[in-house]
Amino acid sequence: MESGPGTGSGRVTLQDVARVAGVATSTVSRVLSDPGRISPKTAAAVMRAVRQLGYGAEKNKSDNLATKPRAVALLVPDITNPFYFGLIHGAQEQLKAAGYTQLLVNTEESAELEQSALNSMLTSSQGVILAASRLSTDALAKAATQIPLVALNRNDADVPAVLIDPSYGIHQAIQHLVSLDHSRIAYISGPAHSWSSQWRWQVFEDAAREYGVDVVRLGPYSPKQTSGAAAADMLITSKASACVAFNDLLAIGMLRRLLTRGVKVPEDVSIVGYDDIFGADFCNPPLTTITAPIEQAARVATSMLLDRLDGDQLRQRQVSQLPTYLTVRESTGLAARGRNS
């Protein structure tokens, strides 16, 4: 009596995969040989069945080792952003210990460049870590059918992910600002298509409702110091007495602009950053910011990917969440009279 897929011969077949995925055997064959011909939704269903059943795991593992360099690619949107320094270091240490070389790719905040780099990695790396991917949900899901990957700060495409959870840090920031009598607080948003910026805004709105404060969303802005001038000007116009910026680079750019306009921080307006990058405590004034476990996130993502390359985690998707917390410095203070009105 047949007790399950592949049990008669001890091997899982294409027919077993097709039955679990609910598609024709020919569709499974096309997904495995040329996934670009199949819709991302169908390809993802087939690859979930492949992972669930462990189809070809040992063969694929040996084939990859024989035909590809022992390398893992790390794709980041902006190599000049100090946030990614910790990711690069953390991932490299883990990969080096496992005998892999790290391939670092700067995608310049461009989904097109990211997709092009991913296509190149199909033949030049064993797997990929995508940091703050700018790909569409469908494109990210399709990429996961073509090469083992882990996404960092992205959780909308049914792929393995490591998330830096903004919830605790943002709630602490709002509570901190409320304790300083701020009642109108702005969120300085990141790129329009940033998944993590949208997540932070949702948490920001929830926290504001909880503490009974008025909020306004400003932006979107590129997550760079050069965008800080426009963000600072908009903050002044908004009449908010405090803000939480998408990242520290934006916040630092705002500090510089406010200084040139004669707006004092924190006497006239309070600024909270996000990430706690190297240099955040060297600002004038030192930046209050939401601290993210950057290197830890890189280590977890790398370990997750290495497990998949070793064939130990092929049967289920993994998602790991790491908490943030507020670090208070000198860029926040009591609300100025009149700013909240």
Side-chain angles (χ1 to χ4, degrees):
M1 181 176 65
E2 188 174 339
S3 60
T7 54
S9 64
R11 296 179 59 188
V12 178
T13 67
L14 285 176
Q15 289 81 3
D16 296 326
V17 175
R19 186 162 53 251
V20 171
V23 299
T25 303
S26 59
T27 300
V28 175
S29 180
R30 283 195 293 271
V31 168
L32 296 178
S33 63
D34 187 9
R37 298 170 57 193
I38 306 299
S39 73
K41 183 178 180 180
T42 300
V46 169
M47 293 310 296
R48 280 196 297 271
V50 167
R51 292 192 293 269
Q52 177 184 336
L53 298 175
Y55 173 76
E58 289 305 315
K59 180 179 183 299
N60 290 339
K61 179 182 173 183
S62 62
D63 286 350
N64 283 340
L65 291 175
T67 61
K68 295 183 181 180
R70 194 169 173 83
V72 166
L74 173 62
L75 275 59
V76 301
D78 181 7
I79 201 171
T80 65
N81 185 339
F83 172 82
Y84 296 110
F85 297 170
L87 288 180
I88 294 166
H89 182 262
Q92 181 168 306
E93 289 299 303
Q94 290 283 100
L95 291 170
K96 182 170 65 176
Y100 285 85
T101 299
Q102 176 176 275
L103 305 178
L104 179 61
V105 181
N106 179 23
T107 59
E108 302 177 23
E109 298 282 353
S110 165
E112 291 75 18
L113 284 178
E114 185 176 342
Q115 184 64 68
S116 177
L118 266 174
N119 293 340
S120 298
M121 292 305 111
L122 296 180
T123 56
S124 59
S125 68
Q126 299 276 335
V128 177
I129 299 171
L130 294 177
S133 175
R134 302 304 187 219
L135 295 177
S136 69
T137 302
D138 286 346
L140 183 55
K142 180 178 177 180
T145 71
Q146 298 172 317
I147 189 170
L149 66 80
V150 173
L152 198 150
N153 270 359
R154 188 72 185 269
N155 192 33
D156 61 341
D158 196 29
V159 302
V162 177
L163 308 175
I164 297 177
D165 188 344
S167 302
Y168 189 58
I170 288 179
H171 274 78
Q172 282 188 313
I174 298 294
Q175 184 180 43
H176 169 66
L177 293 172
V178 168
S179 76
L180 296 171
D181 293 332
H182 295 278
S183 59
R184 181 172 172 83
I185 305 171
Y187 172 66
I188 312 299
S189 60
H193 300 295
S194 168
W195 184 87
S196 57
S197 183
Q198 182 61 30
W199 188 15
R200 292 172 199 179
W201 168 243
Q202 290 171 353
V203 172
F204 189 88
E205 282 190 303
D206 291 343
R209 280 193 295 268
E210 179 179 342
Y211 292 103
V213 296
D214 185 25
V215 296
V216 58
R217 182 177 185 174
L218 307 179
Y221 296 101
S222 177
K224 300 179 180 181
Q225 285 192 43
T226 51
S227 300
D233 290 346
M234 187 61 70
L235 176 64
I236 293 171
T237 303
S238 75
K239 303 298 183 181
S241 63
C243 75
V244 176
F246 170 72
N247 72 355
D248 287 343
L249 291 182
L250 261 175
I252 291 169
M254 294 178 71
L255 289 177
R256 292 179 175 177
R257 175 62 171 175
L258 292 169
L259 178 64
T260 63
R261 290 197 56 171
V263 178
K264 296 180 180 179
V265 178
E267 291 85 355
D268 297 325
V269 65
S270 289
I271 307 289
V272 178
Y274 194 107
D275 289 334
D276 202 7
I277 61 173
F278 176 80
D281 54 340
F282 300 157
C283 300
N284 183 24
L287 185 64
T288 294
T289 186
I290 295 167
T291 299
I294 301 169
E295 285 205 30
Q296 183 185 0
R299 290 193 294 270
V300 172
T302 305
S303 295
M304 193 180 292
L305 180 62
L306 291 174
D307 284 345
R308 300 183 73 79
L309 294 178
D310 289 340
D312 293 337
Q313 299 292 337
L314 294 176
R315 296 183 180 275
Q316 61 182 2
R317 175 179 180 242
Q318 294 174 288
V319 177
S320 178
Q321 293 194 189
L322 305 176
T324 54
Y325 61 90
L326 183 69
T327 298
V328 177
R329 298 192 180 105
E330 296 172 30
S331 66
T332 49
L334 287 170
R337 291 183 179 179
R339 288 294 298 174
N340 287 309
S341 59

